[in-house]
Amino acid sequence: MTRSGLPVVDPNLALTWWERILAGFTHSPSPHVTSTELVAVILLAVAVSLPRLTWRYFGLLATVTHELGHAFAALTTGQRLGGIRLGLDHSGTTTTYSRSRLSAAWSTFWGYPVPAVVGAVMVWCGFNGWGPAAMSVGTLILLASFLFLRNGVGLLITAAAVLASALLVLFVPPVFNGHVMIVLGLALLVAAVRDLGKLANVHLRHRDRLPTSDAYLLARATSVPAAAWIVLFAAVVAGAWWFAWQPMAPVFTALLGSFNARP
């Protein structure tokens, strides 16, 4: 502590954190994931993404991922990014400026599917020895997002995500990073399905909230029905699940094989 009472960050701790971030960009041995662990991981992913109590907090990470998807898609098409605003009620807004309807539609589309896509990549990285790299990349992206945040709540939510990520980088041994990425990736995949259900519910039962729907905004911008956009969201999410299933399938196949081999 300083005389003013403010905490002092240990420079050695900051240096260790940065060294861990850089060290993450190397391939590590693929973790051994048993069928028992995988079942437990899937149950844990469901536990943080479905019950209201846990979703109240984990859903904020899904919202951050959603809005960063809009932002990244906008930057890839040369749009000007006005900023990102986040709310504790899981709401979020990404403001972009574009003269092209196609570019605007592109950035609007990449919201709901992005948690599933990111989750699938995290699962693949976790199984294939790139867990530390995924953790390093995720931490750096969260840090970079501070440049685009435009409200205090958004800063608070992202700071909490950065803190959690920094703690994982510092205190989780690299050999376990793959397991952590599998848990987080599957949780984001479940979260993407939950959010799709919530979106469909808005269009079916709460049409007064349509202006908050990306599918509604896409329909207004392109004259393509909102239902078609929801189907496209679902198709990308399903594709992400299929991709994430590929490294998991051998684990369950081995489990079934052991059952069949029993007398």
Side-chain angles (χ1 to χ4, degrees):
M1 300 284 287
T2 62
R3 290 184 179 180
S4 62
L6 296 175
V8 177
V9 177
D10 185 351
N12 292 326
L13 189 63
L15 180 60
T16 300
W17 173 81
W18 183 244
E19 289 175 346
R20 290 280 184 89
I21 289 289
L22 295 180
F25 293 99
T26 57
H27 188 263
S28 59
S30 299
H32 175 64
V33 180
T34 65
S35 56
T36 302
E37 178 188 347
L38 191 53
V39 170
V41 163
I42 293 172
L43 292 176
L44 180 59
V46 171
V48 299
S49 296
L50 291 187
R52 289 186 178 181
L53 180 61
T54 51
W55 177 250
R56 179 181 179 182
Y57 302 102
F58 184 76
L60 295 173
L61 178 61
T63 299
V64 171
T65 309
H66 177 120
E67 297 304 329
L68 287 177
H70 286 312
F72 183 76
L75 293 175
T76 61
T77 52
Q79 299 178 60
R80 186 163 64 88
L81 187 58
I84 300 172
R85 302 178 70 86
L86 302 171
L88 290 174
D89 59 353
H90 298 177
S91 62
T93 304
T94 300
T95 304
T96 61
Y97 301 95
S98 173
R99 297 180 179 179
S100 168
R101 282 192 175 187
L102 183 61
S103 296
W106 172 259
S107 59
T108 303
F109 179 84
W110 289 107
Y112 282 101
V114 170
V117 173
V118 171
V121 171
M122 291 169 73
V123 170
W124 184 90
C125 288
F127 271 98
N128 290 279
W130 293 105
M135 193 173 290
S136 294
V137 170
T139 304
L140 293 176
I141 289 174
L142 286 172
L143 285 171
S145 70
F146 279 112
L147 298 173
F148 306 106
L149 293 169
R150 295 295 182 267
N151 69 323
V153 172
L155 290 169
L156 178 64
I157 292 171
T158 307
V162 169
L163 176 60
S165 181
L167 291 174
L168 289 174
V169 169
L170 281 170
F171 299 111
V172 175
V175 69
F176 292 116
N177 282 355
H179 301 272
V180 173
M181 286 299 103
I182 294 170
V183 174
L184 291 176
L186 283 170
L188 281 175
L189 281 158
V190 175
V193 175
R194 179 188 174 112
D195 276 341
L196 270 182
K198 182 179 177 181
L199 175 65
N201 194 45
V202 166
H203 284 263
L204 293 173
R205 296 185 177 182
H206 302 284
R207 297 185 65 83
D208 56 311
R209 303 178 191 170
L210 282 179
T212 65
S213 163
D214 290 350
Y216 173 78
L217 297 176
L218 284 164
R220 290 190 59 184
T222 64
S223 299
V224 176
W229 290 110
I230 294 175
V231 169
L232 285 175
F233 291 157
V236 176
V237 171
W241 267 101
W242 176 86
F243 183 77
W245 173 253
Q246 301 312 301
M248 293 190 290
V251 179
F252 287 115
T253 299
L255 175 63
L256 292 175
S258 66
F259 280 126
N260 294 333
R262 291 179 180 179

